Each structure stands twice: as structure tokens, then as C-alpha cells.
Amino acid sequence: MSTMTDRLERTRAAHKYRMLLVEEIQLLKEQRNAVVLAHYYQTPEVQELADHIGDSLALAQAADRSTADVILFCGVHFMAETAKILNPDRTVLLPDLNAGCSLADSAPAEVFARFLAMHPDHVVVSYINCSAAVKAMSDIICTSSNAVRVVNSIPPEERIIFAPDKHLGAYVQRVTGRRMLLWDGVCEVHVNISTDKLKLLMSRHPEAKLMAHPECPEPILAEADHVGSTASMLQFVQRDPGMSFIVATEAGILHNMRKAVPHKTLLPAPAFADNQCACSECPYMKLNTLEKMRDALRDLRPEIIVHEHVRIPAERALRRMLDLG
Ligand code: 13P
Ligand code: SF4
């Protein structure tokens, strides 16, 4: 059985190891002239090393503005791919190539192509959570920050296909009043938030305001005081006079929120499956670690490659969104 002194020694050794790793990453960043972009769902230690932390839209914009030689994207594959589409001449790295996304996986390019062939004469709006190949088949891309604005920018007489998130699509339909043909995809993390457990939590904290990401199913959105992207939730919690909030999205955002409003109470919405934190965690986002960041900067891989025949039409659809501002 380990003594208190043993445990203390192990904690000190782990702390020293982490400090060395952080130093190594910072040195490699300088040597490579690299910028580190991190999504709010990354672990706190990854977020702390980032030059920019943001939602999908802010990170796509940061990638677009970047002048660094290397972009180390701490997020999931479609995000790093977006950075590469916008920066074909730069090296874009993803610490772990297995960091995928259930939404992107729900729309395989060949199946999506057949679906579009069956429904011609539609404007194709794709949520940024999709592969480069699906972006290349789309007319315009949107994120959870601008989906309503993007759909509103399409002339009312046009018919619209919205892919791949059916919950975000249904939410945009409700807000804009536009009928759209919805692809049947979901985010496995946001549909794993338990409405029953959430209602119980709300009844125990009647003072708490509910913020929900539009990837959540409608019964959750219907209860929410604020529906929006990760970045908009972060703004809401700072602007709103309330002192207590329930956060219905991936738990990584809590790190940044707690820093922004340390005096407020933030409660993660409970997931169906009981896990360590009883909250919602994206298993793909959490694949990125400090060790993998160090290895990626040292070895310049795993590198994201997008072939020009896919990249060029995908960039066109992305630029249409970015041009909306
Ligand atoms: P936003 O950061 O754009 O809100 O998206 C959340 C998400 O699920 C990204 O995978
Ligand atoms: Fe994809 Fe959902 Fe994970 Fe976001 S939280 S990366 S939408 S699986």
C-alpha cells in the first residue's frame, strides 16, 4: 500500500514531466513557426497551450488569417481539414488522425452524392461538421454560429438541402420558417444528453438558466433560455445577470466558462451513460494530448492532405460562408 510520501512524489514527478512537455511544445512551436488552434472541447491542458481557442467559425476564420508555416489543429478531423482547404500551402497537423466526428461520419461522400442526384435543383447547405468531399458537393457551408444567417441568405424561392445534422437543421427550420430537406445525421454527444436527467437537474436548480447547443434534440432546445454555438454560450453566460447556468453541450467548454465567470455556478447537463464526470464528453475531441501535440510538431505529422479536385470546390463553398462575415 502506497504511503502519503509516495503519492506526493508521484504527483511531483507528473507535474515536472508535464512542465517539461509544455516547454518542449513551446520550443517546437517557435522552431516550426507554428500556430496552435484549439476548440473549446479540448482538455484544459491543450486549451492552455493554444494561440487561439474558439468555436468552429472562429477557428476557421483564425486559420484563414494565419500566416504561420504550420497550423497545429487541436480539434477534430473536419476542422483541421477546413484549415487545410483554406491554407493549401501550409502544413496542417492534427495530433491524432483518429479524432473524427459522428456527424461527419454520418454522411459518406458516395451516399451523399447519390442523395443529391435524387434531389436535384436544391441549394445544398452543409454544416461545417462534414468531410471535405461533402463540402465540395455543397453550395455553401455554415456553422452553428451562422446557420440561420446562411439559410436566410438563400432566396426564398430556392429549395434547400441541409446536411448532415438533422437537429441543427430542424432548429434552423423553426427559426427561419424555411422548409428544408434534412440529412439524417446526429452528434452522438449531444443526443446522449438525457432529457429526463436534465429535467430533474432543472427542478433541483429552478434558478439556473439552460443554455443548449443546437445539435441537441428539440425537447432540450424547447426548454432552453439560450440556444447557440459554444462561443455564443460563453458570451451569454458573461452578459446575462443570472448566477447559475446549466450547460447542455460538451463539457470541455466549462474550462473557459469557469475562467470567464468564476463567481457563477455552472452545471453540466447530465448524459444518459454515467461516466466519471456524469457529463457529456466527445471521445474524438479528447484524443488529442500534450504528447501527441509534441510529436506532431517534432515529426510534422499526422499531416492533413486534401486533393485539389476536392479542395477547390470545398473552398468555394467555405468562402461563400466566410464572405457573409
Ligand atoms: P461549435 O464550436 O461551432 O459550437 O460546434 C460544436 C461542435 O460540436 C463542434 O464539433
Ligand atoms: Fe462531432 Fe459531436 Fe464530437 Fe462535435 S461533439 S466533434 S459534433 S461528435
Side-chain angles (χ1 to χ4, degrees):
M1 211 163 83
S2 71
T3 63
M4 184 75 145
T5 327
D6 288 340
R7 283 210 299 277
L8 214 61
E9 273 308 311
R10 275 203 301 275
T11 312
R12 276 203 198 110
H15 181 69
K16 196 165 162 206
Y17 171 71
R18 188 171 301 185
M19 296 296 285
L20 286 172
L21 208 47
V22 168
E23 264 175 43
E24 219 180 331
I25 291 170
Q26 272 156 351
L27 203 68
L28 282 163
K29 248 177 74 179
E30 262 179 58
Q31 284 170 359
R32 296 291 190 197
N33 184 26
V35 67
V36 177
L37 308 181
H39 190 267
Y40 289 123
Y41 296 164
Q42 293 296 290
T43 59
E45 58 187 13
V46 171
Q47 289 191 43
E48 288 301 323
L49 274 175
D51 298 294
H52 302 280
I53 310 168
D55 67 356
S56 309
L57 179 63
L59 292 176
Q61 288 165 331
D64 194 30
R65 282 193 308 268
S66 173
T67 54
D69 296 323
V70 173
I71 298 175
L72 177 62
F73 209 118
C74 300
V76 289
H77 191 271
F78 76 82
M79 295 180 172
E81 212 174 39
T82 301
K84 183 67 181 177
I85 293 166
L86 297 170
N87 292 278
D89 300 331
R90 299 183 206 286
T91 302
V92 178
L93 307 170
L94 179 66
D96 190 320
L97 264 194
N98 292 318
C101 168
S102 63
L103 271 172
D105 290 350
S106 78
E110 333 70 65
V111 187
F112 193 62
R114 285 202 293 276
F115 176 77
L116 296 189
M118 279 161 55
H119 304 283
D121 304 323
H122 282 70
V123 176
V124 181
V125 180
S126 291
Y127 187 33
I128 198 162
N129 300 34
C130 65
S131 66
V134 166
K135 287 185 177 73
M137 288 181 251
S138 308
D139 294 297
I140 187 163
I141 305 303
C142 71
T143 71
S144 53
S145 280
N146 61 18
V148 167
R149 185 148 34 108
V150 166
V151 167
N152 276 335
S153 76
I154 299 165
E157 64 280 7
E158 298 278 8
R159 291 188 292 172
I160 300 175
I161 285 174
F162 189 96
D165 187 4
K166 70 173 178 187
H167 293 306
L168 174 64
Y171 170 74
V172 173
Q173 283 197 147
R174 289 194 294 277
V175 175
T176 63
R178 295 289 290 268
R179 300 303 307 160
M180 305 192 293
L181 200 49
L182 303 181
W183 184 264
D184 192 13
V186 295
C187 159
E188 66 179 49
V189 179
H190 288 88
V191 297
N192 194 35
I193 295 173
S194 159
T195 314
D196 290 344
K197 286 188 185 176
L198 177 62
K199 285 194 171 152
L200 196 63
L201 186 68
M202 288 168 77
S203 69
R204 287 189 184 138
H205 298 270
E207 76 295 348
K209 291 189 178 165
L210 174 65
M211 301 185 289
H213 196 279
E215 288 173 12
C216 293
E218 196 275 335
I220 293 178
L221 300 183
E223 301 288 334
D225 298 281
H226 175 77
V227 176
S229 72
T230 47
S232 88
M233 287 188 211
L234 198 53
Q235 281 165 12
F236 181 77
V237 83
Q238 292 175 82
R239 244 191 0 244
D240 191 87
M243 290 302 288
S244 182
F245 299 85
I246 298 174
V247 188
T249 191
E250 212 271 357
I253 185 74
L254 292 167
H255 174 62
N256 229 282
M257 274 184 189
R258 285 186 182 123
K259 278 168 67 175
V261 287
H263 54 297
K264 296 194 179 186
T265 304
L266 303 170
L267 306 159
F272 276 110
D274 285 323
N275 55 16
Q276 233 182 359
C277 67
C279 61
S280 303
E281 288 201 321
C282 173
Y284 312 107
M285 287 278 181
K286 300 301 195 246
L287 284 176
N288 297 323
T289 61
L290 294 187
E291 282 87 352
K292 291 176 193 170
M293 287 172 74
R294 187 262 324 268
D295 294 353
L297 286 171
R298 186 191 59 206
D299 306 336
L300 291 185
R301 62 191 169 87
E303 187 180 355
I304 302 291
I305 307 288
V306 183
H307 296 293
E308 282 298 277
H309 70 279
V310 172
R311 194 195 67 76
I312 292 168
E315 181 176 17
R316 199 177 306 132
L318 270 164
R319 295 256 171 236
R320 280 198 192 118
M321 169 188 81
L322 293 173
D323 288 347
L324 284 181

